[in-house]
């Protein structure tokens, strides 16, 4: 397994270059969606195109003519679509629900030819030529950027440029790979990470948008209230049927999208702050695969919120030195989170309440789920390091941060003074 690292940096983009980046992103997404249209076939997964070479050969010349993107950006857009289609085909083969990939989120992938790094700035390809932007790095040193991007021990692979509409800022996530003196990738067998970790588990739901294993709740009531308010106003405008109402409807849609993004950004910031306040090294979510099936009562805006929350935390947390992981979601809502029990049954949960049929443990169902998410990561990490040749079969010290203390393989450990 290769040693890979990602260094997040904030770009300082001059005003005269902002439109260039926005237009480049729009054309990049156009190429990705055109490639998705070509590669996806609704009749049979066997007819889908999952070869990057085949997709590039079929689409490259046309997309180069239709856009002002450089060759490398067009190729990366096609590659993104083919990879997403390939993932969808895997789900289709396994009998899981899937659809043609659609790309709407503002992001672009740069390779080493379309992005050139210097110590304090970067040169990027756009639809209007190359532009140069400075970095805004944290005050403390060494930063991940200095450690991975500027180090001779790591080589630049690709990077993802993202735009945060709520803060009107651009962020670059630089992906690197460790190499030896000959420039060959450094390989490790299994994980060599045996350091102590403290984990914050997060459960996502409808009644509570997010619940942390520390017992902190982010209620979905306010979010649902304002979504309903926007829906009511939209319904009123649609009934008028005038051009003025149509224009007002468009403006309302923009305000709603901006509000939803800002709201989820706020929750993401508070969630990262919760991890830092409790000295957590890792934030753990459930994987969002099949979330529609697992939460059949969730509306579209709930699913959107879950995906955006995980996405935002994934790029916010590493900037504060906190990793983000995901675990399999199976039965986290039905399993008793007491370490000396672990009994799993669908009748353990009744709406918002959890009561274990075996040991009688009673707790809020979402809080129980948050602890189980973190405990699943604990068990997964222990298993991984026990089976790794580089770890010597040793246990990895992992604490799950909960209300009033921690959980680990030995059970509940109260915080001093509690």
């Amino acid at each position: 397994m290769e040693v890979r690292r990602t260094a997040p940096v904030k770009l300082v983009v001059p005003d005269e270059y902002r439109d260039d980046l926005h237009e480049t992103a729009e054309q990049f997404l156009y190429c990705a969606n055109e490639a998705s249209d070509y590669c996806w076939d609704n009749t049979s997964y066997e007819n889908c195109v999952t070869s990057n070479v085949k997709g590039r050969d079929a689409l490259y010349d046309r997309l180069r003519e239709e856009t002002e993107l450089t060759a490398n950006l067009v190729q990366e857009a096609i590659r993104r679509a083919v990879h997403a289609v390939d993932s969808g085909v895997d789900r289709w083969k396994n009998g899981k629900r899937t659809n043609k990939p659609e790309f709407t989120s503002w992001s672009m992938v740069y390779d080493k030819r379309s992005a050139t790094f210097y110590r304090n700035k970067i040169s990027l390809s756009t639809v209007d030529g190359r532009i140069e932007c400075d970095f805004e790095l944290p005050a403390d040193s060494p930063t991940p950027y200095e450690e991975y991007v500027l180090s001779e021990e790591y080589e630049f692979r690709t990077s993802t440029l993202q735009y945060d509409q709520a803060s009107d800022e651009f962020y670059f996530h630089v992906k690197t790979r460790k190499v030896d003196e000959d420039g060959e990738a450094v390989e490790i067998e299994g994980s060599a990470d045996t350091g102590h970790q403290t984990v914050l588990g997060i459960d996502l739901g409808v009644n509570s948008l997010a619940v942390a294993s520390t017992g902190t709740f982010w209620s979905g009531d306010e979010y649902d209230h304002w979504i309903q308010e926007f829906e009511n106003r939209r319904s009123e405008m649609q009934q008028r049927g005038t051009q003025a109402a149509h224009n007002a409807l468009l403006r309302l849609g923009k305000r709603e999208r901006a509000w939803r993004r800002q709201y989820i950004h706020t929750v993401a910031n508070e969630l990262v702050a919760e991890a830092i306040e409790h000295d957590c090294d890792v934030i753990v979510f459930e994987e969002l695969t099949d979330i529609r099936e697992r939460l059949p009562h969730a509306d579209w805006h709930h699913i959107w919120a879950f995906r955006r929350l995980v996405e935002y935390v994934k790029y916010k947390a590493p900037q504060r030195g906190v990793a983000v992981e995901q675990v399999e979601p199976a039965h986290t809502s039905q399993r008793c989170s007491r370490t000396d029990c672990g009994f799993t049954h669908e009748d353990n949960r009744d709406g918002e309440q959890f009561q274990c049929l075996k040991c009688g443990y009673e707790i809020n169902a979402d809080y129980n789920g948050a602890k189980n998410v973190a405990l699943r990561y604990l068990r997964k990490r222990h298993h991984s390091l026990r089976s790794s040749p580089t770890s010597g079969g040793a246990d990895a010290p992992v604490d799950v941060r909960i209300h009033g203390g921690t959980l680990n393989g030995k059970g509940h450990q109260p915080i001093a003074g509690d």
Side-chain angles (χ1 to χ4, degrees), residues 333 347-355 362-366:
S333 65
D347 291 337
N348 280 348
R349 177 165 187 167
D350 182 14
E352 296 184 37
Q353 286 302 118
F354 179 94
Q355 182 174 6
E362 294 186 52
I363 191 176
N364 176 275
D366 293 330

Side-chain angles (χ1 to χ4, degrees), residues 214-229:
T214 51
T216 299
F217 285 68
W218 285 268
S219 173
D221 292 344
E222 181 184 2
Y223 181 77
D224 288 341
H225 167 75
W226 282 107
I227 291 296
Q228 187 60 52
E229 286 292 317

